[in-house]
Amino acid sequence: MRTRFIALATAAATGVALAMAGISAAQAAPPVGLHIDNGRLVERNGTPFIARGVSHAHTWYTSQTPTAIPAIKAAGANALRVVLSSGNQWTKNDVADVTSIVSQCKAAKLICMLEVHDTTGYGEVAAAVSLDTAVNYWISVKAALAGQEDYIQLNIGNEPFGNGFTVSKWRADTSAAIVKLRSNGFKNLIVVDAPNWGQDSTFTMGLNAAAVFAADPDANTMFSVHMYGGFSSALAVRAYLWSFNARGLPITVGEFGDKHAGSEVDEDTIMSEAQRLGIGYYGWSWSGNGGGVEYLDMVTNFDPAQLTSWGQRIFNGTNGIKATAREATIYAGSTPTPTPTPTATPTASASASGSGST
């Protein structure tokens, strides 16, 4: 499987001219905030923004959010990925709650990526919902995102396909979700996750990314791969990221850990290659993991003074967050806005485990 993946990655990367022809931004609307320019994420003023962040499981731990967000910033991050729920599996994060999250991200001077977690493993997990259902959720909270294009990225759904026959629907369903968001007036940068629990082991996203990008009338979509057990070698990490970079297709590492489900992950190469190529990364996750993946916590019990070995690595290690993060220029000279009172805490998931299942 790994040899096949590398062959597919190499074949895809050789089709640069064809891919670039398919992602022409000639008809795209003028950028209104964070946007893709020549395959790179840039701010409204054209300055590249390279995310160095982590995920926070807000939907299960809303009471921890007001302290977690500033603590993540203080640890060195310039970006944050926030877990939300559409209400299909967990308590819905409504427009007031999402508005509060946006305000807290801005107060901490973080660029935030908001994601719906209820899509995780669709087609393989009975309770998981479709990308179209996730889009309906985004429409219901649109008021919280409108006008926040300089600060907020919209990650349509977390790991929206498991394995199996539904993977073949990734291109059509992802394209349709993007078009539906744009037709409903969303101007935010859109982020789409790979199938196969985010790891793209079938290279479905790799082969179809150019076509999906072309489906966005704003030419403002970025692709996200989650790197866990399928990326245990430097060769696998480099081949995957290179296949996107060589074609001018925007890619971010939306999740990764240092190990997962008994497999080692080559976090050193993930971080060094992201730094070498100017690609963003978000580690999973700040705290609160359960269900046997507690080792993915970066701090113990949401206490920033209790860094785990994983937390020490990602924040303070070579090519880590503290050494490489640069604050977004949109915050230069800004005054943080007051943080509103957070909404009530929903019941935490019984197994608020990290995603990235294999």
Side-chain angles (χ1 to χ4, degrees):
M1 176 63 73
R2 182 55 49 206
T3 301
R4 177 175 175 269
F5 162 75
I6 294 169
L8 285 169
T10 303
T14 59
V16 177
L18 179 60
M20 293 307 294
I23 62 172
S24 170
Q27 303 302 316
V32 295
L34 292 162
H35 63 281
I36 302 302
D37 182 18
N38 196 28
R40 300 289 179 182
L41 174 59
V42 301
E43 297 184 63
R44 182 192 296 261
N45 64 9
T47 302
F49 180 75
I50 302 172
R52 291 289 178 262
V54 304
S55 287
H56 166 58
H58 169 72
T59 199
W60 304 306
Y61 298 105
T62 56
S63 65
Q64 298 288 348
T65 299
T67 53
I69 289 179
I72 290 166
K73 173 65 174 185
N78 66 1
L80 176 66
R81 186 168 178 259
V82 181
V83 178
L84 302 176
S85 174
S86 62
N88 293 96
Q89 293 201 59
W90 304 283
T91 302
K92 180 179 178 179
N93 300 106
D94 62 16
V95 67
D97 190 34
V98 178
T99 298
S100 175
I101 289 294
V102 171
S103 181
Q104 291 177 68
C105 287
K106 292 167 70 175
K109 300 185 178 182
L110 291 166
I111 296 298
C112 281
M113 182 191 297
L114 309 182
E115 60 101 336
V116 168
H117 217 74
D118 306 68
T119 57
T120 307
Y122 178 69
E124 195 169 337
V125 175
V129 301
S130 68
L131 282 174
D132 187 65
T133 298
V135 170
N136 291 336
Y137 166 75
W138 289 118
I139 293 169
S140 78
V141 297
K142 180 183 174 184
L145 281 74
Q148 304 301 327
E149 293 85 3
D150 286 309
Y151 310 96
I152 302 298
Q153 305 167 77
L154 191 164
N155 188 181
I156 305 178
N158 181 69
E159 301 177 1
F161 293 91
N163 298 311
F165 75 94
T166 55
V167 171
S168 64
K169 299 176 64 180
W170 180 87
R171 172 176 168 173
D173 287 9
T174 303
S175 297
I178 292 168
V179 170
K180 187 171 178 177
L181 283 168
R182 296 299 185 215
S183 67
N184 277 276
F186 286 85
K187 294 298 180 184
N188 305 79
L189 174 78
I190 291 174
V191 181
V192 296
D193 280 7
N196 310 116
W197 299 91
Q199 296 199 71
D200 203 20
S201 59
T202 57
F203 204 55
T204 299
M205 185 169 80
L207 291 172
N208 292 282
V212 170
F213 190 97
D216 182 355
D218 288 1
N220 200 23
T221 294
M222 183 163 64
F223 301 93
S224 174
V225 62
H226 294 182
M227 291 188 160
Y228 291 101
F231 294 91
S232 60
S233 72
L235 182 59
V237 172
R238 289 172 181 148
Y240 194 90
L241 296 180
W242 174 75
S243 74
F244 278 76
N245 188 69
R247 291 179 288 161
L249 289 165
I251 184 74
T252 192
V253 181
E255 286 186 20
F256 73 107
D258 58 347
K259 56 182 178 253
H260 190 258
S263 298
E264 290 300 313
V265 181
D266 191 353
E267 76 279 4
D268 291 341
T269 300
I270 292 170
M271 295 162 76
S272 64
E273 282 299 288
Q275 183 64 17
R276 185 178 72 84
L277 297 173
I279 291 171
Y281 67 63
Y282 297 80
W284 182 278
S285 70
W286 181 244
S287 198
N289 288 288
V293 295
E294 291 83 357
Y295 52 80
L296 288 172
D297 280 0
M298 296 169 185
V299 301
T300 302
N301 296 324
F302 291 93
D303 182 356
Q306 297 188 61
L307 277 176
T308 65
S309 59
W310 170 220
Q312 189 70 242
R313 173 67 189 94
I314 192 169
F315 282 108
N316 300 322
T318 303
N319 297 307
I321 288 172
K322 190 168 288 184
T324 62
R326 300 293 179 267
E327 188 175 89
T329 64
I330 190 68
Y331 291 119
S334 64
T335 301
T337 54
T339 302
T341 302
T343 56
T345 306
T347 303
S349 166
S351 59
S353 57
S355 50
S357 301
T358 55

